[in-house]
Amino acid sequence: MIDALRPRLFVPSLLAVDLDRLRRRGIEGLILDLDNTVVHWDRDATAPEFAAWIERAKEDAFRMCLVSNSLGPRVARFSVELDIPAIARAAKPRRRPFRQAMEIMGTTAEHTAVIGDQIFTDVLGGNRLHLFTVLVTPLSPLEFWTTRMLRRAERLVMPGRKAERE
Ligand SMILES: [Mg+2]
């Protein structure tokens, strides 16, 4: 069970994700969490450096799909802004939205990575399908109470969130 909660990689930010390294691992598709991974959960615009990271990934021919548990209108706005497909109200860690995203991107599990800031949604969901899971430090410390409860549980299974396993 604990293994299912462990990311393959832990990095301080999406900006620190090494695309070349992912490519060398055979990763072709990136499932991106939205809130606190690509954008602050309480903001309505993508910071320029994050938009630039996404653009670079596109130039490097990575396929991408946003998979978010947030509501449709918010997710749709970022989908348009960043020009990448998105699945909203995803109910991560359920497997269905991850499978849908791979279908959209045309990738298989062994060529797909998940990048997100939450162990119990992004990492667990990705690990259930044997995707390459990358945990990032959340962009904003302020969150919904449901997320705060999960954070407490995260600290129990991953003290300091410093683990890196490859
Ligand atoms: Mg998130």
Side-chain angles (χ1 to χ4, degrees):
M1 182 58 190
I2 287 295
D3 268 359
L5 297 172
R6 200 164 287 160
R8 293 285 297 273
L9 213 58
F10 177 50
V11 292
S13 157
L14 178 71
L15 305 179
V17 171
D18 187 338
L19 288 169
D20 295 332
R21 194 167 159 195
L22 288 182
R23 173 70 74 200
R24 282 197 300 274
R25 287 182 171 278
I27 300 299
E28 299 165 357
L30 307 174
I31 293 174
L32 300 176
D33 170 53
L34 178 64
D35 289 314
N36 274 340
T37 297
V38 174
V39 65
H40 285 69
W41 72 273
D42 57 348
R43 286 193 203 161
D44 289 332
T46 319
E49 63 269 33
F50 284 81
W53 188 94
I54 301 259
E55 281 314 305
R56 210 200 117 200
K58 278 182 201 168
E59 283 162 19
D60 287 354
F62 281 95
R63 281 162 269 175
M64 285 175 280
C65 186
L66 292 170
V67 175
S68 171
N69 284 357
S70 292
L71 301 180
R74 175 173 170 80
V75 177
R77 207 165 53 230
F78 285 103
S79 175
V80 170
E81 187 187 310
L82 298 167
D83 194 25
I84 46 180
I87 296 165
R89 301 180 72 153
K92 293 177 284 185
R94 290 184 66 178
R95 281 171 288 199
R96 185 151 175 248
F98 295 93
R99 287 203 185 108
Q100 283 176 328
M102 286 192 279
E103 210 169 292
I104 289 170
M105 296 189 296
T107 58
T108 55
E110 60 170 333
H111 298 296
T112 305
V114 181
I115 305 176
D117 71 299
Q118 286 197 65
I119 289 173
F120 288 98
T121 57
D122 307 306
V123 172
L124 177 58
N127 282 347
R128 289 178 79 191
L129 288 172
H130 306 288
L131 311 184
F132 189 85
T133 47
V134 181
L135 181 69
V136 300
T137 307
L139 284 173
S140 168
L142 298 169
E143 294 167 297
F144 293 115
W145 67 271
T146 45
T147 307
R148 283 204 305 271
M149 277 179 51
L150 289 177
R151 294 285 178 216
R152 255 173 246 159
E154 283 178 354
R155 282 195 289 274
L156 291 176
V157 297
M158 202 176 157
R161 291 163 61 104
K162 278 181 184 152
E164 180 168 326
R165 186 180 55 137
E166 293 199 60

